[in-house]
Amino acid sequence: MPSFREDALHRIRQDGDFDAVVIGGGINGIAAYRDLALQGLRVLLVERSDFSSGCSAAPSRMIHGGLRYLENGEFGLVAESLRERDALLRLAPHMVRPLPTTIPIFSTFSGLFNAAATFAGSGGKPASRGALAIKAGLMLYDFVTRKNRILPRHVFRGAADTLQHWPDLTPEIRYSATYYDAWISQPERLALELLIDSQSDAPQSVALNYAELVRVGDEYGLRTEEADEILPIRPRIIINATGAWIDETIDVLADGPASDRAKPTVSGTKGSHLILANEELLKALNGHMIFFENTDNRVCILFPYLDRVLAGSTDIKVDRPERVRCEPEERGYILDAIRQVFPQIAIDRSDIVFSFSGIRPLPRSDAAFTGKISRSHFIHRVAGDPPQLCMIGGKWTTFRAFGEQVTDEVLAFLGRKRLTGTMDRAIGGGRNFPAGAGGLPALLSEEFSIAEDRAEHLALAYGSRAFELMGFCRDRSDDVRLSEKSPITAAEVVWLIRCEQVRHLTDLVLRRTTLAITGVIDADLIDAMLAVAARELGWLPNQASAERQRLIHELETFYGVTPAMLQHRCKENA
C-alpha cells in the first residue's frame, strides 16, 4: 500500500492543475489551505522544511486577546483576537486551555497617556503602565467579551493580598491585577492536526512538507526533497504565506526583475524564549502567568508550561530574514527580568533546558519601539499571471480568521461561493473531547488498561485522537517504553511516522513530541527513537547516522542543547 506522500505525488504527476497553491506550511498557510480545501477547491500546500517548523514553532505559546494592543489603538485587533481565543478554547480544548494571568503593578498613575501618544503619532517607547492605565485596559477587555463570556472578569488586589498569593514576588509591588487569557500546549501539533483533518475532509487537496514551488521559465514546478524531477504545476492563484520570507518569495515567483517590485512589506522582529527547570520558580507562580514589564518597558512573561517554566521574550528588529537562535545576551536579558520580579529565588543559566527563537513577520513599520509595531494582519496582492496573495502579519491566535479572510478573496477571484465555515469546526483531538470527572485520561486508562502517566500523556498530546492511536498500538506490543523518563512507546513512534508525515528524526523529537522542549531528551532516548525510525523508514546505517547528527546539530545550534547536556542527562537518570 503506497504511503500518503507517494500517493500524493502520483496524483500530482497525473494532474498538475490546482485552483490555488499555498506556499508556506506555518500556521497562517495551513489555515488558508484548510479553509480553501473545505470549499471544494483543489489546493496544494508546499513547505520547504517541516510543517510549523519556522516562526510558527517559536511563539510565546499564548492564545490571547492582546491586552497591550489597546494602548496602540488596535481595538479591532483586540476584539478579533478575543473572539478567536474563545473559539479555540471550544474547538481545541485538548491543547488550548485557560491561563490566569497576573500583572504586578508598581505605580498608580504612570502610563495614562500612552494611548494618547500613539494616536498623536508617537512610535517611541511608552511609559511604565500604572494601576489606572491597567484598570482601564482590563475594563475594556471585559467589555469586549461581555456577551457569551466564557472566562472570568478581571480582579484587582492591593499589595498585601498580592503577596499572600505570591509571597516570592518583589516587596516593591503596590497592586496586582488578574485576568484570563489562554495558552497552547503544543502549537506544532495543532497545526499538524489541521492538516490531518483536511486529508479526511478534503481529499482532493494535497499538503507536502520538504517540498517547494519553483519557477521554470514562465511555468511553475514542484520540487521535493527526495527526487530530482520537477513536476509541472499550474496554479490559478498563489497564496504567499512564507512569513518573514514573503518579500523574497515575491521576488522568486513574480514576473519581471526584483528592482521593479514595490517596497518591502514585512518588518521582522526576533523573539526568544527560555524553558526553565526550576521547581521553586514553578511553585512561586501559583498556577498563573506573571505578565510584567522589564526596565526598558518591554513586556515579559512567565508561566507554568508542561511542568517547566516558560520565560520570554525579547523583541529585536532584524534587517533580513534568517534562521535565528536565542543568543547569550538574550538569555541574560530574560533571566535578569525574572530576578526583578522574583528577587528571592535563585535563577541560574544552568536552569535552562531549552531555548527557542523566531522572527515575527510583522507589517512594515518605521516605529522606533518594536512594541509599537502592529500585530494585525492584511493581504497584499501582487499582480501577475497567476497573481499572488501575500499574508502579511498575523499571530497564532488569529490564524483561523486570517485563513478565512484569504479564502474569501480567493473565492471572489475564482468566482466561487463559500460552502462552509470553520468557526464551529472542532480541530483534531478536540472532536468529541470528554468533559467531567476524570476526563479523557480516566477513559483511556479504563479502556486500554494503561498506566496513569501514559494515559495523561496521550490525552495531553492527542486529545480524542488517542483512541485512534491506542487502537493501532493495541495490536502491537505497546508496553515497550523508549525510556523510563518518558511514557512514549515504540508503537506510538511508528504511528506518528505513518500518520503524521514524519520524514526526519528532527520531526519526531522537535515537533511531533515535547521531548526536546521539556528537556527530557537525552543521548539514550535519541538512540532509542532513531532505532524505531530507522526500521520503519528503511534507513541504512549511514543514513541513520546522518539523521542522528542532523538532530544533534539542530539541538545545539538553534535550541541551546549541547551534546554534553545530552550525555549529562543520561548520567542523571542512570
Side-chain angles (χ1 to χ4, degrees), residues 225-549:
E225 178 185 65
E226 67 270 33
D228 294 329
E229 67 176 325
I230 295 179
L231 305 180
I233 301 294
R234 293 171 292 276
R236 298 177 65 186
I237 192 167
I238 293 173
I239 292 86
N240 180 347
T242 54
W245 285 263
I246 276 178
D247 293 309
E248 282 71 11
T249 304
I250 292 173
D251 289 343
V252 168
L253 297 181
D255 297 323
S259 59
D260 293 343
R261 251 71 88 222
K263 293 181 179 179
T265 61
V266 172
S267 180
T269 72
K270 177 188 178 187
S272 295
H273 301 77
L274 307 178
I275 303 296
L276 306 170
N278 185 308
E279 289 296 328
E280 189 178 1
L281 181 61
L282 179 61
K283 182 179 178 181
L285 294 174
N286 196 19
H288 283 227
M289 179 168 81
I290 302 298
F291 183 80
F292 64 101
E293 289 178 302
N294 204 349
T295 53
D296 58 2
N297 298 127
R298 299 184 190 279
V299 171
C300 295
I301 59 171
L302 277 172
F303 69 90
Y305 177 76
L306 303 179
D307 295 325
R308 301 289 192 236
V309 175
L310 188 152
S313 73
T314 57
D315 197 13
I316 303 168
K317 271 197 172 183
V318 293
D319 295 326
R320 59 187 177 87
E322 61 182 349
R323 194 159 180 201
V324 292
R325 63 183 182 182
C326 182
E327 301 293 347
E329 58 270 23
E330 294 177 275
R331 292 183 174 210
Y333 173 90
I334 296 171
L335 294 179
D336 286 344
I338 299 171
R339 294 183 185 110
Q340 290 173 33
V341 289
F342 287 105
Q344 301 175 62
I345 297 177
I347 307 290
D348 190 79
R349 287 182 182 243
S350 62
D351 295 332
I352 303 171
V353 297
F354 191 83
S355 62
F356 60 94
S357 187
I359 297 179
R360 305 177 183 96
L362 307 179
R364 190 76 180 175
S365 172
D366 295 324
F369 185 70
T370 52
K372 291 288 187 180
I373 302 176
S374 174
R375 266 54 175 177
S376 188
H377 54 80
F378 64 91
I379 300 168
H380 171 68
R381 183 164 179 156
V382 178
D385 184 21
Q388 283 186 56
L389 298 183
C390 302
M391 301 180 74
I392 310 297
K395 59 196 184 89
W396 248 98
T397 306
T398 55
F399 73 81
R400 191 211 63 83
F402 202 3
E404 185 175 74
Q405 180 184 349
V406 170
T407 295
D408 287 341
E409 191 152 333
V410 171
L411 291 173
F413 171 77
L414 297 176
R416 301 277 290 268
K417 292 184 178 180
R418 175 173 281 280
L419 302 179
T420 187
T422 55
M423 178 55 93
D424 297 314
R425 185 180 289 267
I427 299 171
R431 286 194 181 92
N432 304 314
F433 190 77
L440 184 55
L443 292 176
L444 290 168
S445 292
E446 180 180 354
E447 181 165 344
F448 297 104
S449 300
I450 54 179
E452 182 179 344
D453 67 329
R454 173 107 174 109
E456 289 176 352
H457 154 69
L458 294 172
L460 181 66
Y462 308 107
S464 60
R465 290 183 69 224
F467 289 99
E468 175 190 340
L469 184 154
M470 286 306 298
F472 174 90
C473 292
R474 182 156 46 186
D475 297 331
R476 294 158 177 82
S477 176
D478 192 47
D479 57 356
V480 182
R481 296 195 181 201
L482 297 181
S483 166
E484 292 182 2
K485 297 168 60 179
S486 170
I488 293 177
T489 67
E492 181 179 342
V493 174
V494 172
W495 183 82
L496 288 169
I497 292 171
R498 294 187 185 182
C499 298
E500 297 193 350
Q501 295 203 46
V502 170
R503 291 190 58 77
H504 295 286
L505 187 61
T506 52
D507 303 340
L508 282 168
V509 173
L510 291 169
R511 288 172 290 278
R512 302 304 185 275
T513 69
T514 60
L515 294 172
I517 197 170
T518 56
V520 172
I521 196 68
D522 63 23
D524 291 343
L525 188 47
I526 287 174
D527 289 338
M529 294 198 78
L530 178 60
V532 177
R535 286 195 300 270
E536 181 64 22
L537 292 168
W539 293 337
L540 297 174
N542 61 336
Q543 186 176 0
S545 178
E547 287 288 334
R548 188 183 194 280
Q549 187 55 44

Side-chain angles (χ1 to χ4, degrees), residues 2-8 11 30 33-35 37-38 43 45 51 191-209 425 428 431 465 468 495-502 512:
S3 70
F4 167 83
R5 191 175 183 89
E6 291 169 340
D7 178 66
R11 288 191 285 140
I30 289 172
Y33 167 81
R34 173 206 190 204
D35 203 334
L38 288 171
V43 189
L45 180 145
F51 300 121
L192 194 69
E193 286 191 349
L194 292 166
L195 291 175
I196 292 168
D197 288 350
S198 300
Q199 290 176 18
S200 174
D201 297 335
Q204 79 282 359
S205 294
V206 177
L208 294 172
N209 54 359
R425 185 180 289 267
R431 286 194 181 92
R465 290 183 69 224
E468 175 190 340
W495 183 82
L496 288 169
I497 292 171
R498 294 187 185 182
C499 298
E500 297 193 350
Q501 295 203 46
V502 170
R512 302 304 185 275

Side-chain angles (χ1 to χ4, degrees), residues 56-68:
S56 295
S60 296
R61 284 166 163 71
M62 295 165 56
I63 300 295
H64 65 109
L67 176 65
R68 67 188 179 89

